[in-house]
Amino acid sequence: MAEAIVSVTVQKLGEWLLEEPLFLFGIDDQVKQLQDELKRLRCFLKDADEKQSKSERVRNWVAEIREAAYDAEDVLEAFFLKAESKKGKGIKMVFRRVSCVLSEAVSLHSAGSKIKEITSRLSKIAASMKDYGIKEAMDGESLSLFNSLREQRQSFPYAVEHNLVGLEQSLEKLVNDLVSGGEKLRVMSICGMGGLGKTTLAKHVFHHCTVRRHFHRFAWVYVSQEFRRRHVWQEILLSLSYKDENHRILGLRDEQLGEELHRFLKRNKCLIVLDDMWGTDAWDGLKHVFPHETGSNIILTTRNKEVALYADPRGVLHEPKLLTHEESWELLEKVSLQGRENLEPMLVKKLEEIGKQMAIRCGGLPLAITVLGGLLAMKNTLNQWQRVQENIKSYVSNGGSSNGSKSVMVADVLSLSYEDLPPHLKQCFLYFAHYPEDFEVHVGTLVSYWIAEGIVMPVEAGTTVVEDIGQDYLEELVKRSIVMVGKRDIVTSEVMTCRMHDLMREVCLQKAEQERFVQVVDSRQQDEAEAFPSLLTNTSRRISVQVHGGAEEHRIESLSQVNCIRSLVYLMKNQGSQWELLGKVSFRKMKLLRVLDLEGAQIKEGKLPDDVGDLIHLRNFSLRLTNVKELTSSIGNLTLMITLDLFVKGKLYIPDVIWKLRRLRHLCMPSELDPRTKLDLSTLRNLQQLWDFPVGQCNPRDLLVMTSLRRLSINLSSQNTDFEVVSSLSSVLKRLRGLTINVPCEPMPPPVDITQLVSAFANLSELELFLQLEKLPGEQSFSSDLGALRLWQCGLVDDPFLVLEKLPNLKILQLFEGSFVGSKLHCSVNGFPQLHSLTLSQLENLEEWVVEDGAMACLASLELKCCKRLKSVPEGIRFLKKLQEVEIGNMTKAFKDNLASGGEDFYKIQHVPCVVFEYCEL
């Protein structure tokens, strides 16, 4: 990971040398020397990063380089900020600059001295490679995690596991797909995280009697990360040919080997398994020998979905699921208790109770269950099983080995995925160590942290939007089966929330500790001596405080003394709750902070200290759900700010300083501002997202400069002129994809016609309206790209479905309280052709809902809440074959009873896999 940090620093130094030569005049040579020294050391860091896990010497050497790179970036950034604050134009600024030449010379000399000292440190670190045997330690083959695990993980086709659980249907499907192919080469990929059973499934397919009858020749090759093309081609041809050909094949040159293999595959119907392929480059190296016109097929196992799709975009892609609790116990029971009939029935019953609890802790990962089962198979007493249960996390991670023997460790198998990551993704991976177990991570927030810390940077100025690069990084972690998707945006397909498997998270925590990446603090430890034993000697640059919510309190004094951290994040396990921040809040010593997230903090008197304005490096600042009532004007000093979240509880007074934060890309305003607040936002040209823009306290014409806006939420008054101003923005806000318009309900404004406003924004994909409407505009007024529509308090009398069902790309429709006040909704044949999710909530007058056969053909999710005059769900629900989940909430008991199993309406929803009832009347 140090390689990534050094690469970022080298890139920044290069940009500063190129873009700000005047500021660096006099110390540019020192900066260039520093950059060169870092470049030289970077050459060794890739090997060092891989091997530091097994060598204390290498680990400390890497840490020294990492800290020096951080220090260099801090020194130069502080210098630039000071110099930038004195930039200006005009005759007054000329005289002012002349008066502070001496001050600038002192600053320049100070920065130059610090850079020179850091360069000297790096030179000594480089020299220590020889003096302390670092190079020899790095060259030692035994240090490589890849080498140490390759032999243990190598697969052989004849070693077939007989305990196939949870994969029976997958096996049948894969076999059928495999033997039903034509005379074209097809690649069947089995993809998923390490330990999921990909190789086990491939072996069962490979040996299946139907497959054996269909193909004539078979080859199995273990590819692995250390891919060698000649070796793979050779192994395939040796497996397909007769044994008396072996000597001749081993003597073939590469081109002869490839040509002969190509001919053989074209003439014969062969099945080839390429097990454990890691990269697209491996496929590129192999694919030339595989003929397109052939009866041969390939099975490929990989952790990386991108590899599978790259090998054959039209091929069969199978992604095994994690085992259910029941399947986990079935597998564990087979491995641990099978063949032990001599045990007493009463003991077996108790072992089963404990075993079922332990099976759940394996998170459905077959490898972890198998490792645990192998360990339990050697334990014969209840006491021994209980001891394993008490320490299950360590037993599973260490493969049942307490002495570090060479048994396959689950943690090491999963670590291979981390070691295979490019440097920039290693930092992204380690950031997940901030989060508690089973935490649903909001991707937008996570990416904003990455951007604030420079982990995500644009490749070239003015090219791809940095937020999109961050999303791509996250998608890469998903494709590599490292991160699990929680929710995807139905409209854009972007990942909205994600999490890590518990065992992958354990690997993440181990690596983060090894890299000194983040220190995690549990706020429940009230004793500061216990909670913060090493904060003052802390060498990690990040602190994550995990808050559990409720009436919890947390003191900040000890944290305030830590002066080297770049990130201080408070994470609530119970998301959305609040907690008390006790003690004197001060940030005076935390001047290197890039990220400060105080979400949910309740601060004494609701006031931030003025010294928050000293955090000149700060790029991401969140006061979400805090009780802050007034911002200090020193916030205007934070000119590097990228993300500012001011969505506090209650009213907030903001001094007119936000205009100084010209680098802002994401601004979330409070839902209610103190009447004294008057803001100028006309300088915020870089904004990507703006939430709760208050027309009453800001000039709507400020929005005209925000040409990069993608998402806008605007709070209007009921005056038509406001709507006209918003409509006029369409000619400037060409990139706008999401728009929310909110008009206060009190006092009740007159209904408005929004036809002009809606039709003005031709590229909208999401629209949310909180306002009284005269009528719904015709379908031709809406953007053809509109994928999500949410309506609140619209007071529509006419059936809105008559218009909305004609929108060709609408995927999400949510009608909330007061949006429709009529009594009947009707879905016509072929209506809502793309609708995926429908919510009807608090429609108090709704009595009848008709769904014709052929309507909403793609509907997968239905949410029906608090529509108490509705007697039953439509007859047409039974025609919705793709419906996967129905959620019924706050409906009458009679409504629920009719839909429940045995009720008269049960037949309408009996085909739906998941039906949930919540808070239905007794």
Side-chain angles (χ1 to χ4, degrees):
M1 192 204 69
E3 182 189 2
I5 294 167
V6 169
S7 295
V8 168
T9 305
V10 167
Q11 181 179 339
K12 286 186 176 180
L13 293 178
E15 289 172 358
W16 286 332
L17 285 167
L18 187 66
E19 296 171 11
E20 305 288 356
L22 291 178
F23 285 161
L24 292 174
F25 183 75
I27 62 169
D28 50 339
D29 286 345
Q30 288 101 307
V31 174
K32 188 69 174 67
Q33 287 173 15
L34 172 63
Q35 186 187 34
D36 291 342
E37 194 66 53
L38 284 169
K39 283 180 179 179
R40 278 192 289 272
L41 285 168
R42 185 172 59 178
C43 300
F44 299 100
L45 281 174
K46 184 173 183 180
D47 284 341
D49 271 341
E50 177 191 327
K51 295 167 183 176
Q52 61 173 313
S53 61
K54 301 289 177 70
S55 169
E56 186 72 24
R57 279 179 297 169
V58 176
R59 187 155 54 246
N60 290 333
W61 185 79
V62 169
E64 289 181 37
I65 298 174
R66 182 176 62 237
E67 293 307 307
Y70 276 140
D71 290 344
E73 189 181 329
D74 292 338
V75 167
L76 278 171
E77 190 168 273
F79 170 73
F80 273 118
L81 285 170
K82 191 171 183 180
E84 188 181 62
S85 68
K86 297 173 182 176
K87 275 201 304 186
K89 296 180 181 179
I91 189 67
K92 288 184 179 179
M93 289 306 301
V94 170
F95 284 119
R96 190 178 298 174
R97 282 192 57 76
V98 169
S99 67
C100 64
V101 165
L102 182 59
S103 171
E104 289 187 17
V106 171
S107 296
L108 193 66
H109 176 74
S110 173
S113 298
K114 290 175 182 177
I115 291 297
K116 197 171 182 180
E117 186 269 328
I118 293 169
T119 306
S120 175
R121 273 167 59 192
L122 288 169
S123 298
K124 291 176 182 177
I125 292 169
S128 71
M129 285 185 69
K130 183 177 180 182
D131 296 341
Y132 297 102
I134 304 296
K135 189 75 169 64
E136 290 77 5
M138 285 165 53
D139 289 340
E141 187 175 349
S142 62
L143 295 179
S144 171
L145 181 60
F146 290 170
N147 292 334
S148 65
L149 277 175
R150 192 180 195 283
E151 290 186 2
Q152 296 177 52
R153 291 290 293 160
Q154 183 164 359
S155 61
F156 300 97
Y158 49 78
V160 182
E161 292 185 25
H162 299 290
N163 297 317
L164 190 70
V165 175
L167 295 173
E168 297 86 351
Q169 291 183 348
S170 299
L171 175 60
E172 184 179 344
K173 184 179 185 306
L174 288 174
V175 168
N176 289 336
D177 285 338
L178 198 59
V179 300
S180 61
E183 295 302 312
K184 297 270 188 186
L185 178 75
R186 284 200 314 165
V187 179
M188 174 182 290
S189 297
I190 304 174
C191 180
M193 70 182 291
L196 195 57
K198 302 181 296 295
T199 299
T200 299
L201 181 57
K203 285 179 183 178
H204 279 270
V205 174
F206 189 75
H207 288 287
H208 197 279
C209 57
T210 304
V211 173
R212 287 280 153 176
R213 287 194 298 267
H214 184 78
F215 294 97
H216 305 145
R217 300 290 179 90
F218 299 85
W220 181 289
V221 184
Y222 177 63
V223 181
S224 83
Q225 288 135 308
E226 296 180 351
F227 159 73
R228 289 167 294 159
R229 184 179 70 175
R230 177 178 175 80
H231 167 76
V232 175
W233 282 355
Q234 211 170 59
E235 287 294 308
I236 294 173
L237 195 54
L238 287 170
S239 298
L240 298 176
S241 305
Y242 295 111
K243 289 192 182 300
D244 57 5
E245 293 282 302
N246 287 5
H247 183 72
R248 183 185 64 83
I249 290 171
L250 291 172
L252 294 176
R253 298 192 308 274
D254 283 6
E255 61 271 21
Q256 293 172 324
L257 189 61
E259 186 179 341
E260 185 164 332
L261 183 53
H262 180 86
R263 284 200 308 270
F264 193 98
L265 292 174
K266 197 162 188 178
R267 290 197 310 264
N268 298 277
K269 189 180 278 190
C270 306
L271 176 61
I272 300 168
V273 176
L274 300 174
D275 186 37
D276 202 25
M277 183 175 285
W278 285 78
T280 55
D281 55 337
W283 177 256
D284 281 337
L286 297 173
K287 65 182 180 182
H288 310 293
V289 301
F290 302 131
H292 293 290
E293 305 295 330
T294 177
S296 297
N297 272 198
I298 295 170
I299 296 177
L300 182 153
T301 74
T302 180
R303 301 186 187 195
N304 193 339
K305 190 174 180 179
E306 185 180 0
V307 174
L309 295 173
Y310 184 80
D312 189 350
R314 295 181 180 82
V316 176
L317 173 62
H318 182 72
E319 299 177 87
K321 305 296 183 188
L322 291 167
L323 300 183
T324 64
H325 293 342
E326 294 76 17
E327 290 168 341
S328 296
W329 166 240
E330 182 185 347
L331 178 57
L332 184 61
E333 183 183 29
K334 285 183 175 181
V335 179
S336 62
L337 291 177
Q338 202 167 50
R340 302 175 75 177
E341 291 79 9
N342 59 326
L343 294 176
E344 296 179 10
M346 189 62 101
L347 175 60
V348 171
K349 187 176 180 181
K350 290 181 178 178
L351 295 182
E352 285 180 353
E353 290 175 5
I354 297 174
K356 287 177 180 178
Q357 295 172 25
M358 287 193 281
I360 292 172
R361 296 294 302 277
C362 292
L365 194 67
L367 176 63
I369 297 166
T370 303
V371 166
L372 177 63
L375 173 66
L376 293 173
M378 297 183 289
K379 311 291 183 184
N380 298 312
T381 68
L382 178 62
N383 186 46
Q384 288 174 327
W385 276 51
Q386 287 173 334
R387 211 158 41 228
V388 173
Q389 184 186 23
E390 290 167 4
N391 301 283
I392 185 170
K393 194 172 285 187
S394 117
Y395 272 115
V396 170
S397 294
N398 294 329
S401 169
S402 58
N403 58 5
S405 68
K406 288 191 175 180
S407 62
V408 175
M409 300 181 186
V410 177
D412 282 350
V413 172
L414 297 178
S415 291
L416 291 174
S417 294
Y418 169 76
E419 301 297 344
D420 188 60
L421 290 173
H424 62 281
L425 288 183
K426 285 185 177 178
Q427 290 195 87
C428 295
F429 171 85
L430 293 178
Y431 227 95
F432 281 88
H434 282 74
Y435 296 99
E437 190 173 1
D438 296 324
F439 193 89
E440 198 82 356
V441 179
H442 185 269
V443 171
T445 303
L446 176 64
V447 170
S448 74
Y449 292 161
W450 291 348
I451 294 171
E453 291 216 45
I455 295 172
V456 177
M457 297 177 68
V459 181
E460 294 178 20
T463 55
T464 310
V465 177
V466 68
E467 289 79 5
D468 292 344
I469 297 174
Q471 276 284 345
D472 289 344
Y473 286 3
L474 193 280
E475 285 284 1
E476 180 74 11
L477 292 175
V478 171
K479 287 177 182 176
R480 288 172 176 263
S481 306
I482 290 174
V483 170
M484 301 162 66
V485 174
K487 295 179 184 176
R488 278 193 184 272
D489 188 309
I490 296 171
V491 178
T492 65
S493 295
E494 288 184 343
V495 181
M496 296 171 64
T497 66
C498 63
R499 67 181 184 88
M500 269 189 174
H501 189 281
D502 290 348
L503 294 173
M504 184 65 81
R505 179 176 171 273
E506 286 301 309
V507 172
C508 184
L509 292 175
Q510 291 170 15
K511 296 295 180 184
E513 183 178 4
Q514 174 186 301
E515 296 277 1
R516 303 169 194 171
F517 187 81
V518 59
Q519 181 165 351
V520 178
V521 175
D522 190 328
S523 66
R524 288 178 299 188
Q525 295 175 298
Q526 294 298 319
D527 183 356
E528 288 201 24
E530 179 187 358
F532 309 110
S534 58
L535 281 175
L536 293 179
T537 57
N538 174 54
T539 55
S540 121
R541 296 277 177 149
R542 299 164 190 85
I543 294 177
S544 170
V545 183
Q546 296 181 359
V547 184
H548 299 260
E552 193 168 349
E553 299 175 343
H554 177 66
R555 305 195 71 85
I556 197 172
E557 282 95 336
S558 294
L559 288 179
S560 300
Q561 303 304 309
V562 185
N563 58 16
C564 66
I565 60 171
R566 291 181 160 215
S567 168
L568 175 58
V569 175
Y570 285 82
L571 290 165
M572 292 182 291
K573 287 195 173 183
N574 301 320
Q575 297 183 48
S577 57
Q578 284 89 41
W579 49 279
E580 295 287 334
L581 188 61
L582 303 179
K584 184 180 179 182
V585 180
S586 174
F587 303 105
R588 184 166 287 108
K589 293 188 177 181
M590 307 172 80
K591 293 184 179 180
L592 300 180
L593 276 178
R594 266 77 170 165
V595 176
L596 178 59
D597 192 336
L598 299 174
E599 181 172 347
Q602 306 304 296
I603 303 169
K604 187 178 180 182
E605 298 179 357
K607 191 173 182 182
L608 286 174
D610 287 340
D611 61 18
V612 73
D614 295 337
L615 306 178
I616 58 172
H617 299 277
L618 199 62
R619 291 159 165 84
N620 188 313
F621 186 28
S622 175
L623 293 173
R624 177 166 286 267
L625 298 179
T626 66
N627 67 331
V628 173
K629 297 180 176 64
E630 181 173 336
L631 278 191
T632 169
S633 59
S634 66
I635 290 286
N637 298 338
L638 311 181
T639 57
L640 293 181
M641 191 72 72
I642 296 172
T643 300
L644 180 60
D645 190 341
L646 302 176
F647 190 77
V648 301
K649 291 171 56 185
K651 292 181 181 179
L652 178 67
Y653 170 69
I654 306 175
D656 189 16
V657 294
I658 303 296
W659 63 270
K660 296 180 180 181
L661 314 183
R662 289 179 167 87
R663 292 178 174 88
L664 264 182
R665 298 175 68 81
H666 307 274
L667 174 60
C668 186
M669 301 289 281
S671 57
E672 193 174 2
L673 279 168
D674 186 294
R676 295 173 294 159
T677 301
K678 297 294 179 185
L679 298 175
D680 172 15
L681 303 182
S682 62
T683 59
L684 308 184
R685 299 176 179 274
N686 295 308
L687 275 182
Q688 298 279 315
Q689 293 183 329
L690 175 56
W691 297 92
D692 288 316
F693 177 83
V695 167
Q697 277 95 358
C698 299
N699 187 340
R701 300 195 178 279
D702 289 353
L703 296 169
L704 292 171
V705 304
M706 304 176 190
T707 55
S708 297
L709 269 181
R710 294 180 168 193
R711 191 72 176 80
L712 172 63
S713 169
I714 183 167
N715 298 335
L716 297 172
S717 72
S718 57
Q719 299 172 5
N720 286 333
T721 52
D722 293 332
F723 290 99
E724 291 167 7
V725 169
V726 177
S727 300
S728 69
L729 295 173
S730 62
S731 61
V732 189
L733 306 183
K734 301 289 188 182
R735 301 180 184 179
L736 196 67
R737 294 294 177 266
L739 176 63
T740 298
I741 299 175
N742 181 24
V743 177
C745 295
E746 295 180 4
M748 183 66 71
V752 294
D753 183 357
I754 60 163
T755 302
Q756 179 186 352
L757 186 148
V758 170
S759 59
F761 292 95
N763 298 316
L764 282 185
S765 59
E766 295 190 43
L767 177 62
E768 194 166 8
L769 300 174
F770 295 70
L771 72 167
Q772 285 275 318
L773 299 179
E774 290 181 359
K775 61 177 181 177
L776 202 62
E779 67 272 11
Q780 69 280 355
S781 299
F782 290 93
S783 163
S784 60
D785 294 331
L786 191 67
L789 178 64
R790 299 174 180 89
L791 302 178
W792 301 71
Q793 300 293 344
C794 297
L796 294 170
V797 177
D798 296 332
D799 182 358
F801 285 3
L802 297 175
V803 172
L804 301 180
E805 68 179 5
K806 297 171 186 174
L807 299 181
N809 293 302
L810 191 65
K811 295 181 178 179
I812 299 173
L813 176 59
Q814 295 178 310
L815 302 184
F816 293 108
E817 181 182 7
S819 57
F820 172 59
V821 295
S823 61
K824 182 177 179 180
L825 291 171
H826 190 107
C827 300
S828 308
V829 178
N830 301 322
F832 295 111
Q834 296 295 324
L835 196 66
H836 185 279
S837 174
L838 174 64
T839 298
L840 303 177
S841 178
Q842 293 182 276
L843 306 183
E844 296 180 355
N845 297 332
L846 181 62
E847 297 178 0
E848 184 181 1
W849 177 24
V850 177
V851 175
E852 296 183 8
D853 187 3
M856 301 191 293
C858 295
L859 194 71
S861 174
L862 171 63
E863 192 174 339
L864 191 60
K865 292 189 174 181
C866 206
C867 300
K868 296 190 177 181
R869 292 192 181 184
L870 189 65
K871 303 303 179 187
S872 64
V873 297
E875 180 77 17
I877 294 293
R878 65 191 180 96
F879 303 126
L880 304 179
K881 302 303 181 186
K882 294 186 178 181
L883 193 59
Q884 295 296 307
E885 56 182 1
V886 173
E887 186 176 341
I888 309 292
N890 286 295
M891 300 294 283
T892 63
K893 184 177 185 299
F895 189 96
K896 174 190 172 182
D897 291 344
N898 285 342
L899 278 179
S901 180
E904 61 183 58
D905 288 336
F906 177 65
Y907 72 96
K908 298 177 183 178
I909 61 166
Q910 63 181 353
H911 65 291
V912 182
C914 179
V915 179
V916 178
F917 295 96
E918 288 186 338
Y919 307 113
C920 291
E921 293 177 2
L922 298 175

